[in-house]
Amino acid sequence: MPPLITRTKIKRWLASAATALAIQFNASAETVGVYFEESSGQIAFAASDVESVLRSKGFAVQTFDIARLSANETDKRVVLSLATNAKVRTLLSAELAALPQDLGEQSYSLRTTTENGITHWVLGGDANGAMYGALQLAENILADGFDRTFDAQESPAILKRGIKLNLPFDRESGTYGKVTATSKVKAIPNVWDMTFWTDWFDTMARYRYNVITIWSNHPFTSMIRMREYPDVAIQDVTGLDGNTKKMSIDEKIAFWKAVMTYAKSRGFEFYLFNWNIFTDGASGKYGITDEQAIAATNQATIDYMRECMTTLWETYPDLAGFGITQGEHMSWHRGPRHLRPQQNQINDALFLANTYGLGTADYAKLHPERELTFIHRWHLADFNDMKANFAALFELANVTFDLSFKYSLAHMYSIPNPQRMNSNHIDPLREHNLQSWLNIRNDDFYYHNWGDPDFVRAYVEGMINKGDWFAGFYMGGDGYTPTRAFLAKSDVMQGILDVQRQWYMYMLWARLSYNPNTTDQTFKNMLSSRFPNAPTEELFEAWRLASKGLPLVGELITGTLGRDNQWWPEACQSNEGFLTIEDFGNAEPNRGSNLASIAETAANQIEGKKSAREVADDIESYAKQALAISETMSTWPNTDLGIAVQNIKSMSYLTRYYAYKIRGSIELKANRTRNALDFMEKAHQWWMLYSSAMHQSYTGMEMARTADLADWHAHDHLVRKEFTDLAEQASPDRNH
């Protein structure tokens, strides 16, 4: 009987055949030797990207440890090294008149020499700098080939470029917002999947991020095992969908240690943040409670939380920092602010100091060799309380006490230079030589892949100009948890990371915060590599123009509708449902804006500002241009390019809807109902194009911070009702 031919055997045979063909094909190919510091995770990672690009260009590649580099070789070479490597500096100085100087943290120099064959040299001020330089070299070779000269030097404009991820760990250990939100349900299996994290850190390192902040109500019960509180650790992982993954607390600890180690190998600092007071998994045990009225003064809860903090530091040597929030679930957060007793605020502040503060101090005093960062959010907090209550941390040399401020409230896509911080925030920072992170909230784009480099540059320049008190930023939302893609109906989007689905948006923010002088040509090269059959210039311009409108809408109304539960622009809704033209008419522009409100425009009280009518004209102009360009592009559905072009079109449809809605709102405020009706009828037409395009491409979802979106036709009848109601008001019978 002949042997059974299994699928596995066929796969092995095909793999062997492919390898044999590759060897035969590359037998006459030029060889490039890639020399790098194999002991560095960052450099080895970037070297693999260089190798992949070289092979895609038809080269054979041999990789060597940097120790094997010598002066006698004449083949094509790539050298990836730390700038402090004496041997590399000696060899390079023999071919280069002046060696690169002043390479600091995350900086790199890229040089090309030709004396002994073409050699591309990447020198990094540290391992991250060498990684970024090698990644840039890979991009250069992909765009321009190996035989070009690449001479460049870059240093980061912003040292800490981070992401904010609200992650639930378990059904019993959640994160902020509605528990059953679809993105949270989908997230939990990915949170405990190492392949998710390796993909995520690889992708985000290529974009140039280097900080991750994970936000959880109470991470401790899923991350540590405590001798005095053995029953609080959550065994196994139970999803919000009821599915269970067998996993002991020791296995969970090993998992998170591996995640943090991998993050470090891609140049990331790893931070945890939480809200207070939450005791997920521990409530009701050992006298522990999260009941708002008593938790802040309950000694059992205080002792437990202090031990949590110390144990967390002990468990995770690669944990860079921990951040705390005063007020989301504390006694002072209950009811209208003017009715909250001052004693509650004092108790809340003391609770944070006596738990997280003292727990960190306990550990730091025993481990003076370890640098720790402790971040206190400004949220509902007073600096004088912080200074008094956290004195134990302020006096420790190995603890950096930072603050964090919600820079754009919930809408980063509004005014590019927010003015929410004032002297009450900035003066204490300067007086006490402290720094503050900027929490940049993206509760605007959960679906669209936004992309306007001009807006990003302006926003980044605003951050850079803050001065010495600016520590860095972390970007993300409360209304959506991005893990692996589930929203898109297209086959090509299934299973990829959300940060890959929205690759252009994420990439622009990191690349331009690393170097705001990065030219548009860099991004055009990326588009050309990703979409080789598309007209690059036109695609770049259409994407840029389609992305310009929504930040203008945001700037016009987020002085009033600035929180994540007040406006989600992609669906024009709040936590109470669809936002009407009356809602727009009552909204004020963002603080620091030079735009006149809709009401001011209607009353002709512009006073040197830009009218809302002009804003609507600009929004429509950008969208019209984007649509005109995109209509010339021939694409197929369910392809990467088809999705990109459809994304441009749907953003343009949406912003044209908003342009007419703003005009209609102006006219309604001015009591010109007939004119308002005309504008809202056109708004309805653009909305129907938008909702149809979105329904074709995406599902709806249960939301974390606004009303749910069953599907993308959910608001069609309300959009129509806006102009049919106006038609009734404007009818001759009604007017006479």
Side-chain angles (χ1 to χ4, degrees):
M1 182 175 180
L4 182 64
I5 300 177
T6 64
R7 184 176 297 180
T8 301
K9 288 181 179 179
I10 293 172
K11 286 183 177 180
R12 287 174 181 169
W13 181 85
L14 289 172
S16 299
T19 301
L21 286 171
I23 293 170
Q24 182 178 357
F25 177 79
N26 286 319
S28 59
E30 287 188 279
T31 299
V32 177
V34 179
Y35 297 80
F36 63 95
E37 305 201 17
E38 294 177 348
S39 60
S40 167
Q42 292 98 306
I43 299 176
F45 162 66
S48 67
D49 272 22
V50 172
E51 181 181 353
S52 295
V53 167
L54 288 170
R55 293 190 189 280
S56 76
K57 292 292 184 179
F59 291 100
V61 180
Q62 290 184 300
T63 59
F64 305 97
D65 186 81
I66 198 76
R68 295 187 57 184
L69 183 66
S70 71
N72 301 323
E73 298 166 34
T74 58
D75 288 336
K76 296 178 184 290
R77 296 181 301 178
V78 169
V79 180
L80 314 175
S81 173
L82 295 174
T84 53
N85 188 307
K87 181 179 181 180
V88 171
R89 294 182 69 84
T90 299
L91 293 173
L92 181 55
S93 65
E95 301 186 39
L96 202 64
L99 290 176
Q101 301 296 323
D102 303 321
L103 292 179
E105 183 180 348
Q106 302 178 48
S107 301
Y108 72 85
S109 176
L110 177 56
R111 295 288 186 268
T112 300
T113 61
T114 57
E115 187 169 320
N116 294 314
I118 296 176
T119 302
H120 297 301
W121 307 76
V122 174
L123 299 185
D126 58 10
N128 275 18
M131 175 177 66
Y132 298 144
L135 292 171
Q136 184 61 60
L137 176 62
E139 287 182 21
N140 292 353
I141 295 171
L142 185 62
D144 299 319
F146 187 86
D147 293 340
R148 293 285 295 274
T149 296
F150 304 124
D151 289 332
Q153 189 160 315
E154 283 194 299
S155 298
I158 297 175
L159 282 172
K160 297 183 187 296
R161 306 169 300 280
I163 290 292
K164 172 184 186 288
L165 275 178
N166 284 16
L167 291 184
F169 290 116
D170 188 271
R171 185 175 62 187
E172 303 302 322
S173 181
T175 189
Y176 190 65
K178 187 177 180 182
V179 174
T180 56
T182 308
S183 64
K184 294 182 182 181
V185 175
K186 301 288 188 181
I188 289 179
N190 294 308
V191 168
W192 299 99
D193 178 6
M194 192 63 189
T195 61
F196 165 76
W197 289 111
T198 55
D199 288 351
W200 195 92
F201 285 114
D202 288 356
T203 299
M204 300 303 263
R206 292 186 180 103
Y207 294 163
R208 308 296 192 267
Y209 291 100
N210 67 347
V211 169
I212 182 171
T213 65
I214 291 179
W215 296 57
S216 165
N217 290 343
H218 188 69
F220 308 102
T221 47
S222 291
M223 294 188 72
I224 59 175
R225 178 165 46 83
M226 295 194 289
R227 184 172 53 255
E228 301 299 323
Y229 304 91
D231 296 336
V232 302
I234 299 173
Q235 305 290 341
D236 302 329
V237 177
T238 304
L240 292 166
D241 56 4
N243 289 328
T244 300
K245 176 186 178 76
K246 299 298 292 182
M247 204 172 191
S248 70
I249 189 63
D250 289 333
E251 289 173 320
K252 291 180 180 181
I253 291 169
F255 176 85
W256 285 111
K257 282 184 176 180
V259 171
M260 292 183 197
T261 298
Y262 196 88
K264 197 171 184 179
S265 77
R266 297 300 179 261
F268 276 79
E269 294 180 2
F270 199 105
Y271 294 78
L272 291 169
F273 276 74
N274 78 338
W275 294 272
N276 288 283
I277 300 171
F278 293 91
T279 54
D280 298 358
S283 294
K285 302 171 183 176
Y286 306 101
I288 300 164
T289 181
D290 66 352
E291 187 177 339
Q292 297 175 22
I294 61 173
T297 56
N298 180 51
Q299 194 60 45
T301 303
I302 291 170
D303 292 344
Y304 160 72
M305 293 291 283
R306 180 173 178 173
E307 185 64 23
C308 280
M309 200 68 238
T310 303
T311 305
L312 185 75
W313 292 119
E314 290 172 345
T315 304
Y316 296 104
D318 289 329
L319 181 64
F322 194 91
I324 60 170
T325 305
Q326 179 172 323
E328 294 297 347
H329 193 238
M330 302 186 86
S331 53
W332 190 59
H333 198 245
R334 301 177 70 201
R337 190 169 302 185
H338 67 281
L339 297 178
R340 301 171 191 169
Q342 185 179 11
Q343 187 58 46
N344 285 348
Q345 180 182 0
I346 294 171
N347 290 343
D348 292 347
L350 284 171
F351 174 84
L352 299 178
N354 290 334
T355 53
Y356 306 105
L358 292 182
T360 297
D362 292 342
Y363 176 85
K365 289 173 184 176
L366 294 174
H367 300 275
E369 76 290 348
R370 183 175 172 187
E371 299 290 329
L372 309 176
T373 298
F374 189 91
I375 303 174
H376 194 310
R377 295 181 66 202
W378 281 104
H379 192 61
L380 301 177
D382 180 83
F383 180 77
N384 290 326
D385 289 339
M386 296 182 215
K387 182 183 174 184
N389 295 334
F390 288 89
L393 287 187
F394 275 94
E395 65 189 24
L396 291 173
N398 61 326
V399 177
T400 298
F401 190 98
D402 285 343
L403 285 90
S404 170
F405 189 83
K406 203 184 292 184
Y407 186 49
S408 294
L409 204 54
H411 296 289
M412 60 188 285
Y413 295 101
S414 55
I415 188 169
N417 190 9
Q419 302 298 311
R420 296 190 65 248
M421 294 188 80
N422 55 43
S423 59
N424 292 330
H425 307 109
I426 297 170
D427 289 349
L429 293 171
R430 289 176 172 157
E431 180 184 349
H432 297 281
N433 196 30
L434 297 174
Q435 290 190 318
S436 180
W437 295 70
L438 298 181
N439 180 352
I440 301 175
R441 287 280 300 280
N442 171 25
D443 280 298
D444 299 289
F445 292 107
Y446 308 148
Y447 284 81
H448 288 94
N449 192 3
W450 179 93
D452 177 16
D454 299 332
F455 181 88
V456 180
R457 289 189 187 96
Y459 197 105
V460 167
E461 288 292 347
M463 290 193 289
I464 293 169
N465 293 332
K466 298 305 178 191
D468 291 344
W469 60 261
F470 172 50
F473 73 86
Y474 44 86
M475 177 181 76
D478 276 354
Y480 181 75
T481 296
T483 51
R484 288 199 183 274
F486 66 90
L487 296 167
K489 294 179 179 177
S490 170
D491 292 341
V492 299
M493 290 289 182
Q494 300 307 310
I496 66 172
L497 302 179
D498 271 309
V499 295
Q500 293 167 337
R501 177 176 63 85
Q502 295 179 301
W503 70 276
Y504 198 47
M505 178 177 74
Y506 278 100
M507 179 274 300
L508 285 176
W509 283 98
R511 291 300 290 267
L512 287 168
S513 57
Y514 180 84
N515 181 3
N517 296 319
T518 301
T519 65
D520 287 345
Q521 188 58 50
T522 298
F523 309 127
K524 292 175 185 177
N525 288 344
M526 293 180 184
L527 293 175
S528 179
S529 297
R530 189 176 183 109
F531 309 109
N533 297 320
T536 300
E537 293 287 339
E538 290 84 348
L539 182 60
F540 172 83
E541 186 65 5
W543 212 321
R544 183 182 72 88
L545 289 165
S547 300
K548 283 187 173 296
L550 207 58
L552 282 173
V553 182
E555 183 176 344
L556 184 64
I557 66 172
T558 51
T560 301
L561 303 173
R563 300 187 184 280
D564 54 4
N565 64 347
Q566 293 175 314
W567 183 47
W568 171 37
E570 287 180 305
C572 193
Q573 68 180 41
S574 71
N575 60 336
E576 296 180 355
F578 181 71
L579 288 170
T580 66
I581 52 174
E582 288 85 2
D583 295 320
F584 270 54
N586 294 328
E588 293 292 324
N590 207 311
R591 195 179 303 172
S593 172
N594 193 43
L595 303 183
S597 70
I598 288 171
E600 289 170 334
T601 300
N604 290 318
Q605 296 175 346
I606 308 300
E607 299 178 356
K609 299 177 183 178
K610 185 173 183 175
S611 76
R613 194 173 285 109
E614 291 176 277
V615 172
D617 291 344
D618 286 346
I619 292 168
E620 183 168 36
S621 175
Y622 295 137
K624 285 175 71 174
Q625 293 176 70
L627 284 172
I629 296 170
S630 63
E631 291 295 345
T632 67
M633 297 181 190
S634 177
T635 64
W636 291 94
N638 201 25
T639 64
D640 203 12
L641 178 60
I643 290 165
V645 173
Q646 183 73 336
N647 171 73
I648 290 168
K649 289 180 178 179
S650 62
M651 280 196 292
S652 301
Y653 298 151
L654 177 61
T655 50
R656 292 195 79 170
Y657 163 75
Y658 278 126
Y660 281 103
K661 185 160 188 158
I662 291 166
R663 291 169 179 146
S665 187
I666 294 168
E667 295 304 303
L668 190 61
K669 272 288 181 184
N671 294 315
R672 294 187 288 266
T673 307
R674 180 75 248 180
N675 291 347
L677 168 61
D678 292 341
F679 286 132
M680 293 312 295
E681 189 168 10
K682 290 184 174 69
H684 174 256
Q685 293 168 6
W686 286 108
W687 177 270
M688 292 307 297
L689 285 171
Y690 173 66
S691 65
S692 295
M694 292 299 285
H695 187 78
Q696 179 183 348
S697 300
Y698 299 105
T699 66
M701 62 175 167
E702 192 172 341
M703 307 299 297
R705 300 291 293 140
T706 71
D708 295 335
L709 187 75
D711 61 56
W712 279 98
H713 286 303
H715 295 325
D716 290 358
H717 69 291
L718 297 172
V719 176
R720 179 175 176 79
K721 187 175 186 298
E722 286 213 281
F723 86 82
T724 55
D725 285 354
L726 288 171
E728 266 191 52
Q729 296 174 37
S731 68
D733 290 343
R734 188 171 183 101
N735 290 337
H736 299 286

